[in-house]
Amino acid sequence: MEKFNVIFDSKNINFVKVTKYLINDYLKMVNNPDVSKYISLKQRFFTYDDELKWIKEKLESNSIIFSMIEKSTNEFIGNIEIMNIENNIAEFAICITPEKQGKKYGEESIKRFVEYCFEEIKLDGVELSVYSHNQKAINCYKKLGFAQYKIENNVGKYNGLSIDDIYMKLKNDRGIKNEMYPYE
């Protein structure tokens, strides 16, 4: 992996710093309607300059964001990121390209990223929000031990359907390696 600086890995994924070398992959992902409908209910097209600015901001601010690279092919899988930390609880987000969905990369990457957050960053927990029409993601989060704690109803519409924002969290209440515990 010449042009990538691997920070940590899992069985099938290398987690690397965001990089301009992946800018075309980022654009292909965020501008894909099958991905963007889960990122924002307000559709937006991102340009090369938008993405270059985003990369620069993430690197300059030392953001905790990683691009995921498939070990066997060196192909881009998606990004996973901590958006903010408050009271030692991090809000995180993940985005996976349509080509790599359905291959268990979401489950593997979230599990490994949460381990990284708990063991390396020493966070007490992680939280996320997910749109109610993203049932695949909701099922994955539940499988990994995330517990729903709040719903914000009718945050927008998608294809005429009312969409809710579902808030979920996972607590690191025992600090045991490789184990995840939901909030009580």
Side-chain angles (χ1 to χ4, degrees), residues 29 31-39 43 96 98 101 158:
M29 179 176 67
N31 287 326
N32 183 311
D34 290 330
V35 173
S36 63
K37 70 183 178 185
Y38 298 125
I39 296 171
Q43 298 300 301
I96 296 179
Q101 292 178 13
Y158 181 77

Side-chain angles (χ1 to χ4, degrees), residues 4-182:
F4 303 120
N5 178 20
V6 178
I7 307 302
F8 61 96
D9 69 342
S10 62
K11 180 180 178 187
N12 299 297
I13 303 168
N14 282 318
F15 294 79
V16 305
K17 286 285 187 188
V18 292
T19 174
K20 65 181 181 177
Y21 296 112
L22 292 170
I23 198 165
N24 290 325
D25 292 303
Y26 299 154
L27 284 167
K28 184 178 175 187
M29 179 176 67
V30 297
N31 287 326
N32 183 311
D34 290 330
V35 173
S36 63
K37 70 183 178 185
Y38 298 125
I39 296 171
S40 175
L41 296 175
K42 296 176 182 159
Q43 298 300 301
R44 177 175 171 211
F45 181 82
F46 293 90
T47 66
Y48 186 91
D49 288 339
D50 292 334
E51 213 64 11
L52 197 57
K53 180 180 175 191
W54 174 81
I55 292 167
K56 185 178 178 185
E57 288 172 357
K58 293 297 180 183
L59 292 173
E60 286 176 356
S61 66
N62 243 357
S63 294
I64 303 170
I65 180 169
F66 302 99
S67 293
M68 299 173 289
I69 305 297
E70 187 175 47
K71 284 183 174 180
S72 63
T73 64
N74 280 341
E75 292 176 356
F76 176 68
I77 296 170
N79 292 328
I80 194 163
E81 154 180 39
I82 290 178
M83 278 129 40
N84 61 53
I85 300 174
E86 193 172 309
N87 299 321
N88 215 36
I89 306 289
E91 177 187 3
F92 90 95
I94 183 171
C95 189
I96 296 179
T97 66
E99 297 81 19
K100 299 298 179 182
Q101 292 178 13
K103 298 181 178 192
K104 302 287 185 191
Y105 287 131
E107 185 177 330
E108 180 179 336
S109 62
I110 293 166
K111 186 172 184 178
R112 181 61 183 101
F113 186 65
V114 167
E115 286 176 1
Y116 177 83
C117 289
F118 290 170
E119 295 168 15
E120 301 299 320
I121 305 172
K122 306 294 185 204
L123 293 172
D124 294 328
V126 290
E127 299 180 343
L128 60 89
S129 65
V130 58
Y131 290 133
S132 57
H133 68 302
N134 194 350
Q135 198 58 52
K136 253 189 341 185
I138 293 167
N139 292 341
C140 179
Y141 299 138
K142 285 180 179 177
K143 182 177 180 180
L144 292 172
F146 282 80
Q148 178 181 312
Y149 69 93
K150 178 177 137 184
I151 295 179
E152 189 177 334
N153 293 310
N154 303 316
V155 295
K157 294 219 179 275
Y158 181 77
N159 281 345
L161 298 173
S162 179
I163 302 298
D164 301 332
D165 221 346
I166 299 172
Y167 294 84
M168 304 177 87
K169 57 188 169 183
L170 183 73
K171 186 176 179 184
N172 181 17
D173 63 350
R174 294 180 182 92
I176 299 172
K177 184 177 173 151
N178 295 324
E179 302 229 11
M180 295 186 284
Y181 298 90

